[in-house]
Amino acid sequence: KTFQQLCLIIPRESDCVNIIETINLFSQPEKYEDLYAFQYIPNLSSFPRTRGWNLYDPMIEYGRMGIDENWKVTHLNATYELCETYSNILYVPAKVDDSVIMGSAKFRSKGRLPVLSYYYKPKNSSLCRCSQPLTYITRRSVEDEAMIQAIIDTNSNSSFMYLI
């Protein structure tokens, strides 16, 4: 896909044949079970299963981004009832109350309301994510519009926002 080339110098022909056979086996498997993901058996003594769950801490990541006072943490998704595909910790505009958050989630597909994904402190800019609105149920949502306006207001450098 990227047209990158790799040149290997393998001293023994038998090793070269083994490598080619292995690459062919994994690149064109006959069954799903032959894929590397199913064949790999990690050494569990050196990497406990619970370790992977602690690699990402949303509070540390948002702290690293330098979130300002225009954003706040909401714990409305603490039990994943608001949106089961989002984190239990969400950053939303500080000026919205819980009713706006809940109303915006109800207006969006699978409850995926607009939440902060990335904050760029030098330009006071934010990148938020959400799903498409459920316009077939109702054409407008006052709460969702208030949420979008609050996101626009968090960026003092601009009076508009790109919705993609």
Side-chain angles (χ1 to χ4, degrees), residues 36 39-52:
Y36 177 77
Q39 297 292 323
Y40 177 71
I41 301 171
N43 182 356
L44 296 178
S45 62
S46 65
F47 191 83
R49 289 180 180 251
T50 56
R51 184 172 157 206

Side-chain angles (χ1 to χ4, degrees), residues 82-96:
L82 187 64
C83 178
E84 63 185 19
T85 60
Y86 276 4
S87 171
N88 60 343
I89 296 170
L90 303 175
Y91 265 84
V92 295
K95 71 179 194 178
V96 298

Side-chain angles (χ1 to χ4, degrees), residues 127-154:
L127 177 66
C128 297
R129 69 169 187 244
C130 63
S131 65
Q132 64 189 21
L134 299 174
T135 54
Y136 59 87
I137 294 174
T138 178
R139 295 267 181 228
R140 297 182 73 171
S141 166
V142 175
E143 293 88 357
D144 192 65
E145 290 176 14
M147 177 69 90
I148 297 297
Q149 185 60 51
I151 291 171
I152 292 170
D153 294 343
T154 62

Side-chain angles (χ1 to χ4, degrees), residues 14-141:
S14 63
D15 291 340
C16 185
V17 170
N18 288 338
I19 289 171
I20 289 172
E21 288 175 355
T22 303
I23 289 173
N24 285 333
L25 175 70
F26 285 130
S27 65
Q28 299 171 353
E30 293 178 15
K31 304 177 292 193
Y32 285 119
E33 294 82 21
D34 292 338
L35 290 169
Y36 177 77
F38 296 106
Q39 297 292 323
Y40 177 71
I41 301 171
N43 182 356
L44 296 178
S45 62
S46 65
F47 191 83
R49 289 180 180 251
T50 56
R51 184 172 157 206
W53 290 102
N54 300 325
L55 292 176
Y56 175 77
D57 183 348
M59 294 306 290
I60 291 173
E61 288 301 312
Y62 284 119
R64 181 187 58 78
M65 287 186 254
I67 307 297
D68 67 12
E69 69 280 350
N70 291 320
W71 297 91
K72 70 176 181 178
V73 175
T74 180
H75 297 284
L76 288 176
N77 203 37
T79 58
Y80 301 97
E81 290 179 12
L82 187 64
C83 178
E84 63 185 19
T85 60
Y86 276 4
S87 171
N88 60 343
I89 296 170
L90 303 175
Y91 265 84
V92 295
K95 71 179 194 178
V96 298
D97 58 11
D98 289 353
S99 64
V100 170
I101 296 169
M102 301 284 283
S104 181
K106 287 178 184 171
F107 186 65
R108 297 282 174 163
S109 173
K110 297 188 179 182
R112 295 179 182 144
L113 70 150
V115 295
L116 182 67
S117 291
Y118 180 76
Y119 181 74
Y120 185 63
K121 189 172 181 92
K123 296 278 186 182
N124 193 28
S125 300
S126 60
L127 177 66
C128 297
R129 69 169 187 244
C130 63
S131 65
Q132 64 189 21
L134 299 174
T135 54
Y136 59 87
I137 294 174
T138 178
R139 295 267 181 228
R140 297 182 73 171
S141 166

